[in-house]
């Protein structure tokens, strides 16, 4: 066993994870928590076969007995000086354009508020509102945003909605919440 393997190999990882502080830090990593959630949903609801390749290449993550489901997780409330001033925040998922026409539904897991939404593909891509993701002025993807407190009623003093698209998305998303 070489030094790199001793430092970061599976045995070192098991030992490191045995410390609750390290385990909590790992759990709080959005990527790790997302993969964990994906594995749990697949084991409970799916064909028990995760898509082995990079899961962002196929257009879906989970085959739920013939229903191709793209699972998106969010674990960070996004705040800005404006949202803090107005006592609000938003949640966001991205990497969506490659999912269009390649899955039957989008499953959104809000790992901040512990909510789940199962949104049919056509509703998601035809009725929700998206932000373009650009690089060097060229659109290469889309992002989906909604209010993190699930209250769509955010207004300026003049009565206009603070964000028509986030209010719309928050309202529509509520129609697809899975209640246990």
């Amino acid at each position: 066993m070489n030094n790199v393997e001793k430092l970061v190999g599976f045995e070192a990882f098991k030992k490191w994870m045995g410390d609750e502080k390290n385990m909590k830090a790992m759990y709080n990593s959005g990527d790790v928590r997302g993969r964990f959630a994906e594995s749990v949903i697949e084991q409970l609801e799916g064909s028990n076969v995760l898509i082995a390749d990079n899961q962002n290449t196929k257009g879906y993550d989970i085959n739920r007995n013939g229903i191709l489901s793209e699972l998106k997780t969010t674990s960070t409330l996004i705040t800005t000086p404006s949202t803090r001033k107005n006592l609000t925040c938003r949640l966001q998922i991205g990497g969506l354009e490659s999912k269009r026409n390649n899955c039957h539904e989008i499953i959104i897991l809000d790992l901040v508020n512990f909510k789940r939404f199962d949104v049919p593909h056509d509703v998601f891509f035809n009725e929700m509102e998206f932000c373009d993701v650009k690089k060097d002025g060229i659109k290469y993807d889309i992002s989906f945003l909604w209010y993190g407190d699930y209250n769509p009623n955010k207004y300026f003093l003049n009565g206009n909605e603070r964000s028509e698209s986030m209010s719309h998305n928050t309202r529509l998303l509520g129609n697809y919440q899975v209640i246990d």
Side-chain angles (χ1 to χ4, degrees), residues 6-167:
K6 286 178 187 174
L7 184 64
V8 295
F10 182 69
E11 292 302 318
F13 180 71
K14 280 193 328 188
K15 182 178 178 185
W16 187 83
M17 287 297 288
D19 180 291
E20 189 169 337
K21 179 180 163 191
N22 292 341
M23 191 181 310
K24 179 117 175 141
M26 184 63 69
Y27 176 77
N28 284 333
S29 165
D31 291 340
V32 171
R33 207 174 343 173
R35 293 290 183 191
F36 167 68
E38 194 172 283
S39 294
V40 168
I41 298 297
E42 177 58 41
Q43 289 171 5
L44 293 174
E45 301 177 18
S47 59
N48 289 320
V49 178
L50 281 174
I51 306 309
D53 299 331
N54 177 346
Q55 291 157 324
N56 293 324
T57 61
K58 298 285 185 188
Y60 64 94
D61 292 319
I62 300 169
N63 182 340
R64 295 190 325 133
N65 302 311
I67 298 171
L68 304 180
S69 304
E70 172 62 23
L71 179 69
K72 290 293 185 179
T73 62
T74 185
S75 59
T76 304
L77 289 172
I78 301 169
T79 59
T80 64
S82 175
T83 60
R84 281 190 290 279
K85 175 182 171 189
N86 293 287
L87 303 175
T88 189
C89 57
R90 69 178 187 259
L91 292 166
Q92 177 176 343
I93 57 173
L96 296 166
E97 194 62 61
S98 65
K99 313 312 174 191
R100 190 186 304 266
N101 300 319
N102 288 311
C103 64
H104 299 124
E105 68 181 354
I106 303 291
I107 298 173
I108 299 172
L109 291 180
D110 168 357
L111 301 177
V112 174
N113 299 296
F114 296 102
K115 293 179 184 273
R116 175 179 170 162
F117 306 90
D118 292 0
V119 186
H121 172 279
D122 290 349
V123 170
F124 189 78
F125 285 104
N126 296 330
E127 297 181 31
M128 298 294 190
E129 296 181 13
F130 300 96
C131 296
D132 290 344
V133 179
K134 297 179 180 182
K135 182 174 184 178
D136 299 326
I138 299 170
K139 175 184 168 184
Y140 70 93
D141 207 344
I142 55 175
S143 184
F144 177 72
L145 292 83
W146 68 100
Y147 285 116
D149 62 1
Y150 293 92
N151 177 359
N153 302 313
K154 310 275 192 240
Y155 300 98
F156 288 111
L157 291 177
N158 67 8
N160 293 338
E161 285 184 318
R162 293 190 62 75
S163 169
E164 289 181 22
S165 64
M166 281 200 300
S167 290

